Structures are given as C-alpha cells and as structure tokens.
Amino acid sequence: MSQTAAETAPTAAVLIIGDEILSGRTRDINLHTLARFLAPLGIDLMEARVVGDRQDQIVAALNALRAAHDYVFTTGGIGPTHDDITADAVGAAFGVAVREHPEALALLERRYAPGEFNAARRRMARVPQGGLLIANPVSDAPGFQVENVFVMAGVPKIMEAMLDDVAPRLRTGAPVHSRTLRVSGVGEGAVADILRAAAEARPHLSFGSYPFGFGAGQAAGQGSGEVGTQLVIRGRDLTEVDAAEHDLSETLRSGGVEIAVTSPH
Amino acid sequence: MSQTAAETAPTAAVLIIGDEILSGRTRDINLHTLARFLAPLGIDLMEARVVGDRQDQIVAALNALRAAHDYVFTTGGIGPTHDDITADAVGAAFGVAVREHPEALALLERRYAPGEFNAARRRMARVPQGGLLIANPVSDAPGFQVENVFVMAGVPKIMEAMLDDVAPRLRTGAPVHSRTLRVSGVGEGAVADILRAAAEARPHLSFGSYPFGFGAGQAAGQGSGEVGTQLVIRGRDLTEVDAAEHDLSETLRSGGVEIAVTSPH
C-alpha cells in the first residue's frame, strides 16, 4: 500500500523570485512555509530554485520545473513596480499574451479611492491568458494560476494567505509520517552503523540523521550533553514507520544509547 | 568604470542539499549566510537551488551550476551517516573517484579516542580525487574544494566557520553598494512611477521596491503609518549610487512623500 501511495504522490517544486534574496538583503521564509504546507497534503516537494528579477532566468527555471513536476509554486514579483516582472515572465514561459483580467481589475478598482488607481497599480491586474485568479485576502491584488503553476506574492503574510485559495485546487497524496528520536550526548558517528542497518532493513522508509547543539565553541561528539543527534524516520505507511521507530529505539537502548525524546516531527 | 567592474565580477550559485529542507523539518539559513558573505566580496550570487539527498538530483544540479558560474557553494551531506552522499555525488559529477584524503584521515584520527574512530566516521575523510580540504574549526571533519565547487557542511555554525578558509581562494569583484529609502504610509503603487523614471534614467543601477508592515490584519496602501515601502538602489559605482539616492530623495520630497530613514542597506 505504501508503494502505491508513494508512486502516485504528486510532486512539486518551488521557485523563489527576487534580487533581494540573492543580494542577502532579505532572508526567504516562503520556501519553508510552502514545505510545511505541502507535507500534510502528501505532495512531495522535490526541489526549489531561487532566481533574480530577470526574465530569462525566470522563464528557464519555470519551464524546467513545470515540465518535471505536477505543481510549481512561485513567490515574488507580482507588485506594481517596474521590477515586478513575474506576470510577463510566466506569459513568456507559456507563450501566451498577458492581459488585464476583468475580475482582477474590478477587485483593484474597488480597493483604491478615485484618483489612486493609477497605471502602476493597474499593472497588478495583468494575468497571462487563461490564468485563474488566486484570492489575496490581505491586500486584494490577486495571484494567479496558469495550468500547473501557482504564482503568488513575495510578502510572506500575503503568500501564506493565498494558500487558502490554492489548497482546494491540488490533488493530494498520502501524507508522509515522520518520527524523531533525539539522542543527547551522542554524535552522529556513534549511531551511524545502527542507522544504516535500520535503513537497509526497511527500504520503503527514509532515515535521516541531524546533529544538534553546535553552539559557540562546542564541537561534535564531545558528549557534553549539549550536543547530540536527531534520527528521523519518514514514510507513507504509518504502521511501518511506527514499527521502525520501535525497532530503532530498542536497538539504540540495547547498545546503551539513551533516547531523550521521541516526537512526531 | 562601473560597466567594466560589472562585466568582470565573478558569478556564483548556491546548492543546498538535504531532504530536511524540502520536507519542512528544517528552515535553511545557509543561503542567507552565503548571500551576505558574497556581497561584500563583489561576487554576484545569481541563483540557488535546493535538492534532496538523491545522487541524480545533486549531480544534475551541480553540473548545470558549475558550468554556468565561476563558483558553486554547496551545503549539506558530508557527515558520517548513510544519508550523507555529497562526496560521492560530487565525484560522480566530475567523473573522478572518491578516496580517503590522507590529511583528512590524520585530522580525524587525532580527533577521536582510540576505538571511537569507526568506519562511519572514517567516511568523513573521503574526498573526490584532486580535492583540496576546507578547514572546519568547529568539529574538524573538513569540507573540500574540487575546481570551482566548494563543498561545505550543512550545520550552520560549521558552514559559516568554513568560509574563513574559503574566502582567500576566491577572486573578488568590485562590491555592490546599496542605499535604502524608507517611506512610511506610502504604498508601492504610489511611488511606482517615480521609481520607474529613476530606473530608466540610470540603467547601470538596479532599483527595487519592497513593501513592509504587513502585520496581522493590516493591508497595503492604507496609510496607517505601519505600512510603507522600502526603495533600494544598488550598483557598483558609489558616486552614481549616491547621486541616484539624492535625486530620488528630492523627487519624492517634492512630491510630498516623507522619507523616514535612509540607510546603507
């Protein structure tokens, strides 16, 4: 059953658009928000890219990603200023014209007082032909969907709010379950063999290992109690994930490794 | 002069490797750290990608990025556990064997007590043929450089510490200067025309616009004093950047727009 679920799980990619991320001015949070949005829907986020405000870059990345995945989610570049070029880039990627969308125009006309709805703001009504609007409950200016591509705002509050309108349009898969075993004072290298054997015994699951506690001046594997390892088991078959957690816990404990916390994330 | 500097500026890409980023378990910070590391060196970060712990994905991304840019910086996947496959993937991308590096082996042997230096930890000495080590002052296990690719740890503290050893190996460019004008209570759409005119007048500079203050329940353009726009001017010619800041400030003030803060970032 887990194999079937895994085989049919939709895949997705994220495309973050904006010079401000690459220049170091802004730290992106939208990728993380999207990853956490997709996981419980059972949609596998396979890759992400970050590009600047350049049409050639956006078009190339978008065409690669939309051909390879069921869904692509973009953020950034749909505002009113000259550096907001995402609508034109998406139109170019799909080879369609970009036009004022009547419904988007009506939304924006309602929003602004007479005289305030200038040409720049009117740009936010431009959508590639065939595009469906994505509602923006924060500031009205909509995102849009063209085929399997969802084009959203870069402002995190707005991007996140747009997901409410995106979610019902997505085909979902079986969610991936995860369990975390937190072992304190034990470096990754000390449990690597046990983890490898666990992974080889259950090829349908994925097993990850993440050190923690690298504070100032601290080093791995020194057994200070401040450093340790998180072992993560992930898979679509909940019964198998739970069995793997049980088996791995037993093996670790019988090897003298103390498990501080187990948690579902 | 700015043209020459721009033409010769080295370009770079970042490749973030790790299932934990795509699953939403971990929020990446390494991209932001690298962006802020590269900017003052005058190296243009052009794109970034995030891929999972899969060799085919890592190889494809790495080969695309290393052909397109002067430098590629990778993070993640160089630890002792079975899911750390970056060294093998880099070897495969370059078509070279991966071997134990004598100096890396010596470093690790010194680090661990007798009996603790097991086969898993020994994996961290494996480096693609021809690779140069990158020092890890936090936990010894080194990163490595193969041609124009710098392979670093995923743990943020360690990745950041490795940059001290990477920096002297890089060809630098003229740094990009930036100025930010913060205008409160003014939406992007209200200053879009002024910004576009400024950008058209100085094609060697880049002009960006970023709204701020989208807190809970707040919306753009409502003039609450809590929302506004940051206008960012960037370029390699400091004299031109300063002149553009002066001109844009004057135009905004003469149009009745109050500039709350100007800052170099």
Side-chain angles (χ1 to χ4, degrees):
Chain A
M1 203 179 88
S2 68
Q3 279 303 86
T4 309
E7 278 162 16
T8 61
T11 67
V14 166
L15 178 60
I16 307 288
I17 300 165
D19 287 348
E20 71 277 17
I21 309 297
L22 296 170
S23 75
R25 190 177 178 282
T26 301
R27 182 183 171 197
D28 171 67
I29 188 171
N30 290 329
L31 171 59
H32 188 62
T33 303
L34 283 162
R36 295 185 75 93
F37 165 74
L38 293 168
L41 298 177
I43 299 171
D44 289 337
L45 178 56
M46 301 299 290
E47 59 178 308
R49 300 195 190 183
V50 184
V51 297
D53 299 315
R54 286 176 40 180
Q55 180 162 317
D56 58 339
Q57 280 201 314
I58 301 170
V59 169
L62 194 58
N63 280 339
L65 295 175
R66 72 189 179 93
H69 302 289
D70 293 305
Y71 300 117
V72 181
F73 303 89
T74 83
T75 71
I78 63 168
T81 53
H82 70 283
D83 55 331
D84 292 305
I85 62 169
T86 298
D88 288 302
V90 173
F94 279 95
V96 301
V98 180
R99 300 178 177 179
E100 282 186 346
H101 190 294
E103 198 185 327
L105 202 59
L107 277 166
L108 291 165
E109 278 174 335
R110 262 201 307 277
R111 176 177 181 76
Y112 292 103
E116 285 193 356
F117 190 47
N118 58 22
R121 287 176 167 144
R122 199 170 172 118
R123 288 186 77 226
M124 294 190 287
R126 298 175 68 248
V127 171
Q129 203 165 359
L132 302 171
L133 300 189
I134 297 172
N136 167 359
V138 177
S139 59
D140 291 342
F144 55 85
Q145 172 191 357
V146 181
E147 296 182 15
N148 63 338
V149 176
F150 295 83
V151 177
M152 297 179 291
V155 175
K157 288 267 175 200
I158 301 176
M159 196 287 289
E160 198 166 355
M162 285 178 169
L163 295 176
D164 289 342
D165 196 26
V166 169
R169 307 185 195 182
L170 303 175
R171 182 170 69 84
T172 58
V176 173
H177 304 280
S178 78
R179 296 287 181 270
T180 299
L181 303 179
R182 185 180 167 97
V183 294
S184 283
V186 176
E188 287 190 288
V191 292
D193 287 347
I194 290 172
L195 192 69
R196 178 187 290 274
E200 285 170 356
R202 297 186 187 270
H204 301 338
L205 304 183
S206 88
F207 292 73
S209 166
Y210 307 102
F212 65 82
F214 286 85
Q218 290 187 326
Q222 291 184 333
S224 67
E226 299 287 313
V227 298
T229 304
Q230 298 200 42
L231 303 174
V232 179
I233 306 164
R234 302 177 75 243
R236 288 197 144 82
D237 185 325
L238 181 58
T239 306
E240 196 176 4
V241 170
D242 281 336
E245 180 193 16
H246 175 268
D247 292 353
L248 183 57
S249 301
E250 289 298 301
T251 310
L252 288 166
R253 285 201 181 97
S254 72
V257 176
E258 190 183 334
I259 299 162
V261 182
T262 70
S263 68
H265 289 295
Chain B
M1 199 180 90
S2 67
Q3 278 303 85
T4 309
E7 278 162 18
T8 61
T11 66
V14 166
L15 178 60
I16 307 289
I17 299 165
D19 287 348
E20 71 277 19
I21 309 296
L22 295 170
S23 74
R25 190 178 179 282
T26 301
R27 182 183 169 195
D28 170 67
I29 188 171
N30 290 331
L31 171 58
H32 189 61
T33 303
L34 284 163
R36 296 185 73 93
F37 164 74
L38 293 168
L41 299 177
I43 298 170
D44 289 337
L45 178 56
M46 301 300 289
E47 59 178 310
R49 300 194 190 185
V50 184
V51 297
D53 298 317
R54 286 177 40 182
Q55 180 162 318
D56 59 338
Q57 280 201 314
I58 300 170
V59 169
L62 195 57
N63 281 339
L65 296 175
R66 72 189 179 93
H69 302 288
D70 293 306
Y71 300 117
V72 180
F73 302 90
T74 83
T75 71
I78 63 169
T81 52
H82 70 282
D83 56 329
D84 291 305
I85 62 168
T86 298
D88 289 302
V90 173
F94 280 95
V96 301
V98 180
R99 299 178 178 178
E100 282 186 346
H101 190 292
E103 197 186 327
L105 201 59
L107 277 167
L108 291 165
E109 278 174 336
R110 260 200 310 275
R111 175 177 183 77
Y112 293 102
E116 285 194 355
F117 190 47
N118 58 22
R121 286 175 167 145
R122 199 172 172 115
R123 287 186 78 226
M124 295 189 286
R126 297 175 70 248
V127 171
Q129 204 165 0
L132 302 171
L133 299 190
I134 297 172
N136 167 359
V138 177
S139 58
D140 291 344
F144 55 84
Q145 172 190 356
V146 182
E147 296 183 14
N148 63 338
V149 176
F150 295 83
V151 176
M152 297 179 290
V155 176
K157 288 266 175 200
I158 301 176
M159 196 287 289
E160 198 167 355
M162 285 179 168
L163 294 177
D164 289 344
D165 196 26
V166 169
R169 308 184 195 182
L170 304 175
R171 180 170 70 83
T172 57
V176 173
H177 304 280
S178 77
R179 297 286 181 270
T180 299
L181 303 180
R182 186 179 165 96
V183 293
S184 283
V186 176
E188 286 190 289
V191 293
D193 287 347
I194 291 171
L195 193 69
R196 179 188 288 272
E200 286 171 356
R202 297 186 186 271
H204 300 339
L205 304 182
S206 87
F207 291 73
S209 167
Y210 307 103
F212 64 83
F214 286 85
Q218 290 186 325
Q222 292 184 332
S224 67
E226 299 287 313
V227 298
T229 304
Q230 297 201 42
L231 303 175
V232 178
I233 306 164
R234 302 179 75 244
R236 288 197 143 82
D237 185 326
L238 182 57
T239 307
E240 196 177 3
V241 170
D242 281 337
E245 180 194 17
H246 175 267
D247 292 353
L248 184 57
S249 300
E250 289 297 301
T251 309
L252 288 166
R253 286 201 181 96
S254 72
V257 176
E258 190 183 336
I259 299 162
V261 183
T262 70
S263 69
H265 290 295

